[in-house]
Amino acid sequence: MEEHKQQTYKEILSYGLIVMAVTHTLAHAFQNMHTALYPKLVEEFALTNQQIGLISSIPSLVSAILSIPMGLLSDRLGAKKMILLSITVATSGAVLAGLAQNPYMLILAISLLYLNTTIYHPASYSFTTFLFAPRDRPKALGVLGAGGTLGMALGPISVSILVGILGLGWRRAYISWIVPLLIGIVAVWYIKFIPTAEDEDKKSEEPGNSHGAAKLWTTSLVMFLIFGGLRMAAPAMTRTFLSIWLVNTRGMEFALASLIFGASSLMGIVASPLGGVFAARYGEKRWTTYTTIASIICFALAFIVPGNIAFTVFYIGYGFFNLFSMAANSAITAKLTPSKQRGLGFALYFLPGSIMGAVAPMAAAFIADIWGMYSVFMASIVVFAFAWIVFTFGVKVD
């Protein structure tokens, strides 16, 4: 067993990390599919702005309610069982979405697909932080994050190809992911070495290693969670109406609008692992501070500069810089969390995003009804900028 532990601290591209990256892709494949499909869903179900907001909000609300229990279960049951559970839930959600005949069935299906990530994140991220020494964590978490962003990209891209180009029904887009999910279950089953908090504690006395913070609740952790919530609120508000705005107001083809959704997330394949390398070199907080500024600027210019070409360039640039700090944020979470509560720590890390994912779409619907859809994007810029202020001046990382 000791030989296995030594290897896990040396081999970045171990089987365990590769499986985590692949299953992260599967977990996130569904995250942006329904938002890309909104023009089709509005047409089929005659949805109002408030109903669109509810479809976006309810799944995130379910995730928010169950986030902490899933984190506690992760610490108790271990990574492997929780990841197998998450993929099983995702498969159930994909089947239900493929059979949905009304908005209520669709909401239930999307709720299961969101719950899948709520179960998955605490287990996979704690697994990865235990698998590598602190000096290598940003790099490893960058690889893990690249898998998630690939999933967020492939979901809308599959919609663009299957629905927009081939003209298949939107339900086929969900059904097409069932076989990859089943393959993911097999891949996880063959993971042999599952590192734990005890393994990390045994390594804590070595130079350059630590077992995280002494206690969970600190001022820096609270401010970091607020930063995460605000940072997720801005895109959650935007995504609710972006595809509809691009198709109905900007005159984009549905396939192209879905492709832009996917391309923005696809940047993470490069940005996430490369960002992990830079975060390890320059420090997680400094790297997050600078990349967040760049992402805010690109996000604002996407909606301020006229023309679809400019929008596409800057929105994809926003996706790149936003994902450039993903590994750094995950590494900060590990530093601010005691090793024995790592699963709970990552559940808390993703909790603000789930809460904002529930609140922000309804706020966006309210703004859209009163001031119009474009006002939603302007409000998102302000929220994004405030998130940077909270992080820069409120979070301290050793």
Side-chain angles (χ1 to χ4, degrees):
M1 181 65 73
E2 184 62 29
E3 180 182 355
H4 285 295
K5 293 175 186 175
Q6 292 293 338
Q7 290 177 350
T8 60
Y9 279 112
K10 295 178 181 178
E11 300 174 2
I12 290 295
L13 292 180
S14 65
Y15 176 77
L17 180 58
I18 292 172
V19 172
M20 289 303 106
V22 171
T23 53
H24 203 191
T25 298
L26 298 173
H28 276 291
F30 308 97
Q31 183 168 333
N32 293 328
M33 285 180 63
H34 64 290
T35 54
L37 284 168
Y38 274 147
K40 299 294 183 182
L41 298 177
V42 168
E43 180 180 338
E44 179 170 336
F45 297 127
L47 302 174
T48 65
N49 286 344
Q50 292 297 324
Q51 289 172 325
I52 293 171
L54 282 174
I55 292 175
S56 294
S57 293
I58 291 175
S60 291
L61 180 61
V62 172
S63 294
I65 292 172
L66 295 177
S67 183
I68 291 178
M70 292 303 104
L72 293 170
L73 275 178
S74 177
D75 288 327
R76 180 179 294 270
L77 298 181
K80 189 171 182 177
K81 292 179 181 178
M82 295 298 289
I83 293 171
L84 288 172
L85 175 61
S86 76
I87 301 176
T88 303
V89 170
T91 304
S92 301
V95 171
L96 186 59
L99 299 174
Q101 297 299 315
N102 55 64
Y104 305 105
M105 289 180 67
L106 184 61
I107 289 173
L108 178 59
I110 297 172
S111 296
L112 288 174
L113 294 170
Y114 268 51
L115 178 59
N116 134 63
T117 62
T118 303
I119 300 169
Y120 178 85
H121 280 146
S124 64
Y125 274 81
S126 60
F127 174 94
T128 303
T129 59
F130 293 144
L131 197 61
F132 296 95
R135 62 182 176 275
D136 292 326
R137 279 178 190 159
K139 302 173 189 176
L141 289 167
V143 174
L144 176 62
T149 59
L150 177 61
M152 287 187 282
L154 290 181
I157 289 173
S158 68
V159 168
S160 177
I161 294 172
L162 295 176
V163 183
I165 297 176
L166 298 181
L168 301 177
W170 59 266
R171 294 169 181 83
R172 296 283 186 89
Y174 286 99
I175 294 295
S176 67
W177 284 94
I178 292 176
V179 171
L181 287 167
L182 296 177
I183 294 174
I185 291 176
V186 176
V188 173
W189 187 264
Y190 280 99
I191 294 178
K192 301 301 182 184
F193 175 57
I194 307 295
T196 64
E198 286 73 20
D199 296 324
E200 180 175 304
D201 290 342
K202 291 176 183 178
K203 289 286 184 179
S204 64
E205 300 302 323
E206 297 183 5
N209 292 339
S210 66
H211 52 77
K215 61 179 181 178
L216 181 63
W217 290 108
T218 62
T219 301
S220 287
L221 177 63
V222 172
M223 297 302 288
F224 185 60
L225 296 179
I226 293 173
F227 158 72
L230 293 172
R231 187 180 183 181
M232 293 301 294
M237 292 172 64
T238 301
R239 284 194 304 266
T240 304
F241 294 105
L242 184 57
S243 61
I244 296 174
W245 180 71
L246 290 174
V247 172
N248 295 341
T249 303
R250 284 291 187 94
M252 275 192 186
E253 293 292 331
F254 172 78
L256 178 58
S258 299
L259 195 60
I260 291 173
F261 261 104
S264 178
S265 297
L266 196 61
M267 294 296 100
I269 297 176
V270 175
S272 183
L274 187 61
V277 172
F278 284 121
R281 179 179 300 177
Y282 299 114
E284 294 91 347
K285 179 169 182 179
R286 179 187 299 178
W287 188 245
T288 299
T289 301
Y290 294 154
T291 54
T292 302
I293 291 175
S295 64
I296 293 171
I297 292 173
C298 288
F299 186 83
L301 291 176
F303 295 101
I304 294 174
V305 177
N308 287 343
I309 294 177
F311 172 84
T312 302
V313 171
F314 286 120
Y315 193 77
I316 291 176
Y318 146 72
F320 180 85
F321 286 110
N322 193 45
L323 297 169
F324 220 10
S325 62
M326 174 181 290
N329 291 336
S330 301
I332 288 172
T333 304
K335 283 189 173 183
L336 296 177
T337 307
S339 61
K340 293 186 183 300
Q341 295 177 291
R342 190 65 49 76
L344 177 58
F346 277 107
L348 290 172
Y349 170 58
F350 288 103
L351 177 59
S354 297
I355 293 174
M356 290 302 174
V359 174
M362 295 308 299
F366 176 80
I367 294 172
D369 281 341
I370 302 298
W371 294 289
M373 285 188 188
Y374 188 73
S375 298
V376 173
F377 310 135
M378 296 300 100
S380 298
I381 295 171
V382 174
V383 173
F384 213 159
F386 189 61
W388 178 85
I389 294 173
V390 170
F391 177 80
T392 302
F393 300 103
V395 178
K396 295 182 180 180
V397 182
D398 294 332

